[in-house]
Amino acid sequence: MFKFQVKSRLDGALARTGVIKTPHGDIKTPAFIVVGTKANVKAMTPEQVKGVHAQAVLANAYHLYLQPGHALIEEAGGLGSFMNWKGPTFTDSGGFQILSLGSGFKKVLAMQSDELAYDEVIAPAKTRHAFVDDDGVTFKSHLDGSKHRFTPEHSMQVQHSIGADIIFAFDELTSLHDSYDYQVESLDRTHRWAQQSLDEVKKLRKAHPERPYQALFGVLQGAQYEDLRKKAATELGAMDFDGYGIGGALEKSQMGEIIRWVNEILPENKPKHLLGISEPDDIFAAIEQGIDTFDCVSPTRVGRNGSVYTYDGRVNITAKRFEKDFNPIINDCQCYTCQNYTCAYIRHLFKAKETLAGTLASIHNEYFIIKLVDDIRASIEDGSFYTLQKTWLDRYYKR
RNA sequence: GCUGGGAUAGUGAAGCGGUCAAACACGUCAGACUGUAAAUCUGAUGGCUUAUGCCUUCGUAGGUUCGAAUCCUACUCCCAGCA
């Protein structure tokens, strides 16, 4: 069982609200999906994840394949049961690791930061852990250096074993520093892999009719190029996916535009997921252009590293000025952290390297981003989206 | 009291005649983080500063030397052993 219903739309824009129905529950969209790469949201218990009003969790097939192994998760009754998360789950295909273990680039580039020449910044072959060929990717495990190979079929089998409600086709995530010719070649490969992923998933569904339906999302690449992005939307849009993921490296300033290019072409009755994005300005831009869900490591990663969201921007809570600040991070924030702890205490925990620091900061950050998306959803329903966007972002980026 | 050993920047600790404002670690300060090789990484850290610049530092006070954190003398304090 998998279904997506659009509930309301924003006049004259692609933004909408809706519901994704999965075997493990509904997701009200737009929704922020919390990342739990290794079958846990770092530094948070599932109760805490629920407490920040997360609707779903996204794990990673590559990591779980390496450890503890997808077969074990299957034996445990699937991802949700294994990790004690009762709601909907997603898994990423492992495609992102082609970038992060391969060329090793930043995924999002701010405008002027790409002045460096390709060979000045590209990871040299000897330090790479991922190598792409036409049929798949050979990975060197980041855990022990052992060699592993992912093909579209293999990724689907792994994700089938893990058993998330929504899974992603195996794709190649290129770097913005790759040449146009390479982007063309890579996009063709990703589209072949998309078809192979789809075929394999259909086969697996047929072979295991007793299993809950796993929705498969195709992933659009094409980097910063309009023609390639539109090609991706046209070709994948014609295929029988349950939804779409928009992926790839992109220039921050282009984000909304890229999403609009593809969402104007993709079938509008299918959910669109933006992979790996959660900065507030990006969230507004994405939702405005019709994104229904997105996931990101940022709230937990940044939180564990001492950075917390406020309405006036993100701040490092470890800064000296919080030493004697006995207020919560945000005065009227309803999250567990702000309801119970002061900046001074959280700063102390970070300075003392106590693990509770990362937990409290992650709780706050996840709550903050999820609440933002919840507020945006409400603003689409009552038509105040643009007002919220302007007032919210003006304040956040004022500094 | 005697005999050894030692005192170096916020802390620990290298250095034992010049290339020393002084390695390294920790700490401190600041910054970064967008499908998690991330509880990680980067930078600064004597003062003044744009500085390949100046000033003040290696327990204290003298001395030797062109030149001393490094050698000598005295003193102060610390540690160990012996009385």
Side-chain angles (χ1 to χ4, degrees):
Chain A
M1 179 203 78
F2 178 84
K3 208 170 156 191
F4 176 60
Q5 295 170 334
V6 174
K7 274 180 63 191
S8 67
R9 292 167 207 278
L10 193 63
D11 270 352
L14 293 163
R16 72 267 187 94
T17 67
V19 181
I20 298 172
K21 293 180 177 296
T22 81
H24 289 88
D26 296 352
I27 302 168
K28 285 187 208 158
T29 66
F32 178 70
I33 312 304
V34 169
V35 174
T37 301
K38 299 193 244 183
N40 84 313
V41 180
K42 288 187 193 292
M44 292 175 73
T45 66
E47 287 71 25
Q48 289 166 334
V49 174
K50 204 161 165 52
V52 299
H53 305 145
Q55 300 188 74
V57 171
L58 179 144
N60 189 297
Y62 164 77
H63 296 259
L64 294 176
Y65 155 83
L66 287 180
Q67 188 180 53
H70 51 295
L72 186 133
I73 294 175
E74 185 168 33
E75 198 179 326
L79 177 63
S81 153
F82 185 51
M83 69 181 283
N84 187 33
W85 173 253
K86 300 187 170 50
T89 49
F90 295 56
T91 45
D92 185 26
S93 63
F96 177 72
Q97 274 58 46
I98 296 173
L99 179 86
S100 71
L101 301 175
S103 53
F105 266 95
K106 289 180 71 161
K107 194 174 96 92
V108 179
L109 287 182
M111 273 167 288
Q112 305 100 343
S113 66
D114 56 346
E115 289 165 1
L116 294 163
Y118 180 84
D119 14 328
E120 280 182 86
V121 276
I122 198 95
K126 61 181 175 194
T127 69
R128 288 186 180 206
H129 284 234
F131 299 88
V132 185
D133 59 63
D134 274 349
D135 303 319
V137 183
T138 302
F139 293 105
K140 241 191 282 175
S141 162
H142 66 280
L143 298 175
D144 61 7
S146 56
K147 257 189 197 162
H148 301 269
R149 186 162 170 79
F150 264 39
T151 59
E153 289 80 6
H154 185 45
S155 174
M156 295 310 110
Q157 289 154 12
V158 169
Q159 293 190 78
H160 179 259
S161 293
I162 294 170
D165 298 305
I166 295 171
I167 67 177
F168 287 94
F170 193 60
D171 63 320
E172 177 181 0
L173 176 39
T174 56
S175 156
L176 284 175
H177 293 259
D178 288 319
S179 67
Y180 178 81
D181 287 349
Y182 187 83
Q183 302 287 2
V184 170
E185 172 197 324
S186 168
L187 192 69
D188 277 345
R189 184 157 48 225
T190 287
H191 289 185
R192 280 199 307 280
W193 290 358
Q195 187 62 57
Q196 288 169 250
S197 296
L198 188 54
D199 293 345
E200 182 66 20
V201 165
K202 285 182 173 172
K203 221 158 81 185
L204 288 163
R205 282 178 190 147
K206 200 172 247 178
H208 300 274
E210 78 289 356
R211 295 276 184 102
Y213 185 86
Q214 273 188 305
L216 176 64
F217 283 26
V219 180
L220 285 79
Q221 294 291 339
Q224 67 271 52
Y225 300 105
E226 182 173 2
D227 58 332
L228 299 185
R229 286 285 176 182
K230 287 183 168 172
K231 180 177 187 219
T234 307
E235 294 186 2
L236 297 187
M239 292 164 67
D240 189 17
F241 288 110
D242 299 291
Y244 293 93
I246 296 168
L250 31 84
E251 215 169 273
K252 190 174 170 70
S253 60
Q254 253 191 323
M255 194 171 302
E257 190 179 32
I258 288 172
I259 297 165
R260 182 164 45 78
W261 291 336
V262 300
N263 275 348
E264 283 175 347
I265 295 170
L266 288 170
E268 67 127 19
N269 61 342
K270 291 185 178 175
K272 320 290 180 356
H273 181 94
L274 180 62
L275 286 149
I277 295 297
S278 77
E279 286 305 302
D281 55 339
D282 301 330
I283 289 176
F284 274 105
I287 292 177
E288 182 181 357
Q289 303 304 337
I291 288 297
D292 302 300
T293 55
F294 29 68
D295 68 277
C296 196
V297 304
S298 207
T300 51
R301 175 187 288 170
V302 143
R304 266 176 289 118
N305 295 330
S307 189
V308 293
Y309 290 99
T310 78
Y311 289 117
D312 301 294
R314 212 172 69 201
V315 299
N316 289 332
I317 194 77
T318 53
K320 184 83 169 168
R321 65 181 188 278
F322 294 111
E323 187 178 26
K324 292 177 182 170
D325 185 338
F326 300 111
N327 299 297
I329 299 166
I330 298 176
N331 272 313
D332 57 352
C333 178
Q334 299 301 305
C335 84
Y336 168 77
T337 299
C338 288
Q339 290 290 304
N340 294 286
Y341 303 95
T342 64
C343 291
Y345 179 67
I346 298 165
R347 179 181 126 100
H348 158 250
L349 293 178
F350 271 109
K351 293 310 234 177
K353 301 195 191 319
E354 285 295 333
T355 58
L356 183 58
T359 297
L360 295 181
S362 296
I363 288 172
H364 172 78
N365 285 351
E366 292 288 15
Y367 181 93
F368 183 91
I369 294 296
I370 288 167
K371 166 102 168 32
L372 169 60
V373 175
D374 288 350
D375 288 349
I376 294 174
R377 188 195 313 129
S379 81
I380 295 172
E381 273 163 10
D382 69 19
S384 65
F385 175 85
Y386 290 112
T387 312
L388 178 69
Q389 181 175 39
K390 176 149 189 5
T391 56
W392 205 99
L393 291 179
D394 278 355
R395 180 173 173 191
Y396 190 83
Y397 292 102
K398 192 173 179 182
R399 282 187 280 180

